[in-house]
Amino acid sequence: MHIAVLSDTHLRPGKSLPSFVWEHLNQVDMILHAGDLTNMGLLEELSSIAQVRAVSGNCDGWDVALPDRDIIECESVSIGLIHGHVGKGKNTPDRAYYAFVDSKVDIIVFGHSHTPFLEWRNGLLLFNPGSPTDKRREQYFSFGLINIQHGEIQAKHLYF
């Protein structure tokens, strides 16, 4: 299963993702969004390509009716999805990790910091795709791809 991972798109109504992102989205089976969409229009666009699962972030308004966290089953792999702005921990990866520490997940996808992150911790993959539209202090815009095949997990960032 090929999964695109987005977060922190912060798109205003009428705006869309860069063409570089759309080119890669046409090759996926599922799209995960780790919050800060800021409007639901993007999810409608994404759902025309593949199944979409998303959670809310700290910049999402009242009209973005999404859960704070979610667990997605893909083949034999469980993915915890959260924005990562609240909870126990001194930084965003820690908050994401502790949000699912008592859950049986294999991957934790989070956002909030706009910083691409990939780390294996106690057998779990912690993955932040960065942002394809608001790079903040990063050199490049980014998003992520996760490939799950026969229980094996591969993840990478795409920079542009």
Side-chain angles (χ1 to χ4, degrees):
M1 177 170 268
H2 301 291
I3 303 168
V5 184
L6 302 167
S7 187
D8 299 290
T9 48
H10 295 274
L11 291 176
R12 299 178 201 277
K15 298 291 183 184
S16 190
L17 296 171
S19 60
F20 181 81
V21 178
W22 286 113
E23 291 167 14
H24 287 84
L25 292 181
N26 287 322
Q27 304 166 17
V28 301
D29 303 304
M30 179 182 281
I31 302 167
L32 302 180
H33 196 297
D36 279 0
L37 295 125
T38 63
N39 75 77
M40 294 297 283
L42 177 61
L43 289 187
E44 293 166 12
E45 281 187 273
L46 295 173
S47 65
S48 70
I49 294 173
Q51 178 186 7
V52 178
R53 298 289 286 269
V55 293
S56 64
N58 60 304
C59 291
D60 289 325
W62 60 269
D63 58 331
V64 177
L66 295 168
D68 293 331
R69 65 179 240 152
D70 196 3
I71 296 179
I72 300 106
E73 301 294 328
C74 295
E75 296 184 11
S76 60
V77 174
S78 293
I79 303 171
L81 181 63
I82 195 163
H83 188 58
H85 62 292
V86 296
K88 176 183 169 185
K90 62 182 180 246
N91 56 44
T92 307
D94 285 351
R95 286 190 295 271
Y97 177 78
Y98 287 119
F100 291 99
V101 75
D102 293 328
S103 303
K104 294 202 183 272
V105 297
D106 304 291
I107 304 169
I108 299 172
V109 169
F110 62 98
H112 186 59
S113 66
H114 298 228
T115 302
F117 187 88
L118 189 157
E119 175 184 289
W120 287 90
R121 186 183 297 183
N122 299 323
L124 296 173
L125 172 62
L126 292 169
F127 190 75
N128 184 329
S131 174
T133 55
D134 185 3
K135 62 183 179 169
R136 291 197 179 161
R137 295 169 298 278
E138 299 304 314
Q139 186 174 2
Y140 301 105
F141 296 102
S142 64
F143 67 102
L145 295 173
I146 296 174
N147 188 37
I148 301 169
Q149 250 181 340
H150 308 295
E152 236 180 87
I153 301 165
Q154 295 178 332
K156 67 179 180 179
H157 294 97
L158 294 177
Y159 297 95
F160 59 102

